[in-house]
Amino acid sequence: VVEKCLTLGAKKIFYIPADMSSPSEPERAVQFAVQKLGGLDYLVLNHIGMTRFQMWAGDVEYTRRLMQVNFFSYVALATAALPTLEKNKGSLVIVSSLTGKIPTPFTTSYSATKFALDGFFSSLRHELIMQKRNVSITLCILGLIDTDTALENTRGKVHLTASPAPEAALAIIQGSAMRVQEVFYPWWLQHVCCLWVLSPSDRDQVLQSYYNYSSP
């Protein structure tokens, strides 16, 4: 990442290794950023823990660890950054997933963490507005993206076409710059979410038809 930033013309680069499975790391990472940069205008949260794309196998401890990385660390990072973001009239950008709007097969634990993000940060958005604190929150709802990890995890299990990662990144940047509440990428995911709510009768069967599973 550092090398890529340099080739794109960055004059100075700061980074800090941080393990988001550790409760103490989020605050340390934010303190480092504020110290080096003098403040924050944007905080983009886009990290995830190791994700299993499989049927639920009863591993509660795995779900607990994933919730720490995918949810609790997001809350801790945002909380630590709120004072400097409010001072700069900044933005929180939360990268989530369609599985945080629509529960899907093979994603029980992952989906739970993404639903939690929506619940917490959408509620926090209300509170910031009511308190007249000028910090925007943009929740980014992404579909299947053609990263190496996502393609490897879903190979042979889903009948879906992955969308290009650079376009997803651009959608996130545009949405956060415009301070919109929700970004959907690809754009048609917003219509999928609406149909999911409005057509409850046969939606489960339609959704399951996109997944490849044979009972043992």
Side-chain angles (χ1 to χ4, degrees):
V1 172
V2 169
E3 291 178 359
K4 182 66 173 179
C5 290
L6 290 172
T7 62
L8 292 173
K11 303 297 183 185
K12 190 178 294 186
I13 299 165
F14 304 107
Y15 71 92
I16 176 173
D19 180 0
M20 288 299 124
S21 66
S22 170
S24 63
E25 291 291 83
E27 184 175 357
R28 185 175 73 90
V30 171
Q31 289 175 347
F32 174 86
V34 172
Q35 178 186 5
K36 293 296 185 181
L37 301 174
L40 293 174
D41 297 313
Y42 290 88
L43 177 62
V44 182
L45 302 178
N46 187 33
H47 59 275
I48 59 172
M50 183 187 71
T51 302
R52 302 170 184 170
F53 195 76
Q54 62 184 38
M55 291 289 182
W56 171 247
D59 191 344
V60 177
E61 183 57 33
Y62 160 72
T63 303
R64 186 176 289 112
R65 292 196 305 270
L66 197 65
M67 190 66 77
Q68 170 61 41
V69 176
N70 288 14
F71 174 64
F72 287 119
S73 72
Y74 278 52
V75 173
L77 285 161
T79 301
L82 269 176
T84 185
L85 288 173
E86 184 176 6
K87 181 180 179 180
N88 295 334
K89 301 178 181 179
S91 300
L92 274 168
V93 184
I94 314 300
V95 179
S96 187
S97 164
L98 181 63
T99 63
K101 293 287 189 181
I102 298 175
T104 61
F106 304 117
T107 65
T108 45
S109 299
Y110 180 79
S111 179
T113 66
K114 296 304 184 180
F115 267 90
L117 287 178
D118 192 348
F120 181 87
F121 284 101
S122 295
S123 180
L124 179 61
R125 184 190 296 115
H126 285 302
E127 295 181 3
L128 293 175
I129 293 172
M130 292 167 69
Q131 296 173 70
K132 295 181 171 55
R133 300 173 68 184
N134 195 357
V135 178
S136 70
I137 295 180
T138 297
L139 187 69
C140 304
I141 314 301
L142 306 185
L144 180 60
I145 307 300
D146 66 355
T147 62
D148 292 341
T149 301
L151 293 178
E152 179 64 28
N153 285 343
T154 59
R155 184 172 291 116
K157 294 181 180 179
V158 297
H159 308 294
L160 296 169
T161 302
S163 300
E167 291 186 13
L170 180 59
I172 292 170
I173 292 170
Q174 290 176 331
S176 58
M178 296 172 64
R179 299 171 76 91
V180 301
Q181 291 190 356
E182 290 187 327
V183 170
F184 289 86
Y185 179 81
W187 63 268
W188 46 263
L189 289 186
Q190 185 169 12
H191 299 292
V192 171
C193 291
C194 291
L195 288 172
W196 181 260
V197 174
L198 296 174
S199 305
S201 58
D202 56 357
R203 66 187 186 184
D204 288 351
Q205 186 175 358
V206 172
L207 185 144
Q208 291 164 21
S209 69
Y210 286 91
Y211 292 79
N212 182 28
Y213 176 72
S214 299
S215 299

